[in-house]
Amino acid sequence: MSSVTVIGGGLIGLASALRLADAGHTVTLMDPSPASGATHHAGGMLAPVAEVVYRQEDLFPLMVRSAELYPGLLEVVAKHTDLPTGYRREGTMVVAADRADSAHLSELADYQATHGMAVERLPVRQARALEPALSPQLAGAVLIPGDHQVNPRMFATALLDALHNLGVTVVRERATALPDDEQVVLANGLGAGELYPGLHLRPVYGDILRLGVPDHLQPLLTRVVRGFVEDRPVYLIPRTDNTLAIGATSREDNRPIPRASAVHDLLRDAIRLVPGIEECDFLEATTGARPGTPDDLPYLGRVDEQLIISTGYFRHGILLTALAADATLALVEGRDPGIDLRACHPHRHHKPVSKQGVSS
Ligand SMILES: Cc1cc2nc3c(=O)[nH]c(=O)nc-3n(C[C@H](O)[C@H](O)[C@H](O)COP(=O)(O)OP(=O)(O)OC[C@H]3O[C@@H](n4cnc5c(N)ncnc54)[C@H](O)[C@@H]3O)c2cc1C
């Protein structure tokens, strides 16, 4: 068994620490404020199909594999805590606001079906039978039964409790250098580049709203609804705590606070799909920074005998948590991670000359 320090307590670091501790390794987790990064703001959709992006074929197998691994990860969580994760398996519906959006939706559904993904076109009437709160004015709908969700904040709290119950030491401090006497997993999101130069990470901001659904509207929605409204994407995520998250923005303008216009746009588009949202309580609008990489693939792999890097999960870090934790355990134990990670090698954009020095 190894002694392992995991740097970073977002979902990636927390779940990796859990799998390691569950397997009997001695784990220390370092984070001045666990789950305060992208994890705190994330939607929590586990959506390998709905999130498919054209020409990102290297990402599909990772997303699909991680979705397969999720139930197993949640079983390990449930072994060590009774706290909920907000996991819901009702699936995802994708809807179109107008005829042009409907054409876009059809193209995407064709692409998904060509890649062997389970998608089912629905007449709007049938979509509304499943989700009566949807607007009668919609132009098209597709059901994706295999795309699920967790509540990232709940899940992080459950993971921290599980780590506590497993005896993992959580050091609430910022790492300023890499420990050099044991196995280290560098999983501190956007902060990883400070400790390991050569990683090309950049913040990609996203705004997200949280609404409370009043009792008389319950359940407003039972599954995730994603939509296109005049070509703008929007998603609505109903959670087990009677809240609804609304998001979809993606921007690289270094503004860490939501613009008033972004809040307006998200609400307007969400209300167009689900008019009852007008009646909800407005609880919160926040902005998170996704750890982006130049090719949208994570940095995941071993770079020397002591160091494993696991960051750059960009738009899919909640989904890819199960894969990241599983691969990290395999890498620590010197086993084959069971999936080809060559495209994710942390040195693919720049090989650093030294861990803490300036790279050439
Ligand atoms: C608005 C929004 C919506 C999103 N929706 C989804 C979604 O629906 N589905 C999905 O799959 N993904 C989604 N994502 C992406 C997802 O949130 C990220 O990919 C994921 O949270 C990355 O997790 P992480 O643990 O790598 O990083 P983070 O959650 O950012 O955690 C990094 C941690 O490292 C710590 N840290 C930093 N520096 C140090 C240091 N020097 N020492 C110790 N600790 C340090 C920080 O305190 C932080 O807790 C969304 C992101 C945003 C912003």
Side-chain angles (χ1 to χ4, degrees):
M1 290 297 153
S2 306
S3 285
V4 189
T5 295
V6 176
I7 298 177
L11 267 197
I12 298 291
L14 290 169
S16 300
L18 174 82
R19 290 293 311 276
L20 287 161
D22 176 68
H25 300 283
T26 304
V27 181
T28 302
L29 181 105
M30 283 189 83
D31 194 320
S33 178
S36 61
T39 297
H40 180 74
H41 306 278
M45 293 170 292
L46 311 176
V49 177
E51 287 268 328
V52 103
V53 177
Y54 299 107
R55 292 184 299 281
Q56 284 198 345
E57 276 78 3
D58 282 341
L59 204 52
F60 299 162
L62 306 181
M63 293 164 73
V64 170
R65 178 79 185 125
S66 202
E68 288 165 3
L69 289 168
Y70 239 89
L73 171 63
L74 294 172
E75 272 172 33
V76 180
V77 178
K79 257 168 72 182
H80 302 292
T81 176
D82 293 329
L83 295 183
T85 58
Y87 184 51
R88 296 186 68 162
R89 305 185 52 199
E90 287 91 344
T92 293
M93 189 168 315
V94 191
V95 299
D98 65 22
R99 286 180 62 183
D101 293 322
S102 183
H104 180 178
L105 186 60
S106 292
E107 274 169 35
L108 189 59
D110 287 346
Y111 183 79
Q112 288 158 335
T114 311
H115 284 79
M117 302 175 191
V119 291
E120 192 186 327
R121 279 163 218 260
L122 294 181
V124 171
R125 204 173 345 102
Q126 208 175 323
R128 292 192 69 235
L130 293 173
E131 295 293 347
L134 286 172
S135 162
Q137 313 294 337
L138 297 178
V142 166
L143 190 64
I144 305 180
D147 280 3
H148 303 147
Q149 59 150 313
V150 290
N151 179 329
R153 293 183 194 176
M154 264 188 196
F155 192 11
T157 304
L159 282 166
L160 273 167
D161 188 57
L163 294 184
H164 174 79
N165 295 336
L166 274 160
V168 169
T169 308
V170 176
V171 179
R172 291 189 183 249
E173 283 170 27
R174 196 170 166 273
T176 51
L178 295 172
D180 55 11
D181 57 346
E182 58 183 24
Q183 291 287 307
V184 176
V185 178
L186 190 62
N188 58 333
L190 278 167
E194 286 166 29
L195 295 173
Y196 195 81
L199 304 177
H200 286 215
L201 293 163
R202 70 183 198 286
V204 180
Y205 292 92
D207 304 312
I208 189 152
L209 316 180
R210 205 159 59 89
L211 308 187
V213 181
D215 286 347
H216 71 279
L217 289 181
Q218 295 287 355
L220 187 61
L221 294 173
T222 60
R223 41 175 76 66
V224 173
V225 170
R226 309 174 66 105
F228 299 105
V229 180
E230 292 169 18
D231 217 23
R232 294 179 298 274
V234 63
Y235 52 71
L236 291 69
I237 310 171
R239 292 191 163 146
T240 53
D241 60 1
N242 294 340
T243 61
L244 183 73
I246 301 177
T249 60
S250 193
R251 51 188 177 76
E252 304 196 32
D253 55 4
N254 269 321
R255 286 183 63 153
I257 293 180
R259 271 197 182 90
S261 63
V263 177
H264 171 260
D265 291 351
L266 285 173
L267 281 176
R268 183 198 54 214
D269 291 348
I271 289 168
R272 177 135 170 219
L273 302 180
V274 177
I277 285 173
E278 279 187 335
E279 289 273 326
C280 290
D281 302 325
F282 188 86
L283 302 178
E284 179 183 273
T286 67
T287 297
R290 308 169 180 94
T293 63
D295 52 13
D296 298 348
L297 286 168
Y299 290 123
L300 174 59
R302 182 177 275 291
V303 293
D304 62 34
E305 309 86 76
Q306 274 162 341
L307 184 61
I308 290 160
I309 293 185
S310 181
T311 183
Y313 291 93
F314 195 28
R315 294 166 55 227
H316 306 295
I318 309 302
L319 169 61
L320 292 174
T321 288
L323 173 78
D326 194 70
T328 297
L329 176 61
L331 291 169
V332 165
E333 295 183 342
R335 291 186 282 110
D336 179 351
I339 185 160
D340 188 350
L341 292 177
R342 278 174 298 182
C344 302
H345 197 280
H347 288 171
R348 68 187 180 278
H349 297 124
H350 201 158
K351 190 170 184 325
V353 285
S354 87
K355 283 183 213 170
Q356 282 142 46
V358 177
S359 48
S360 58

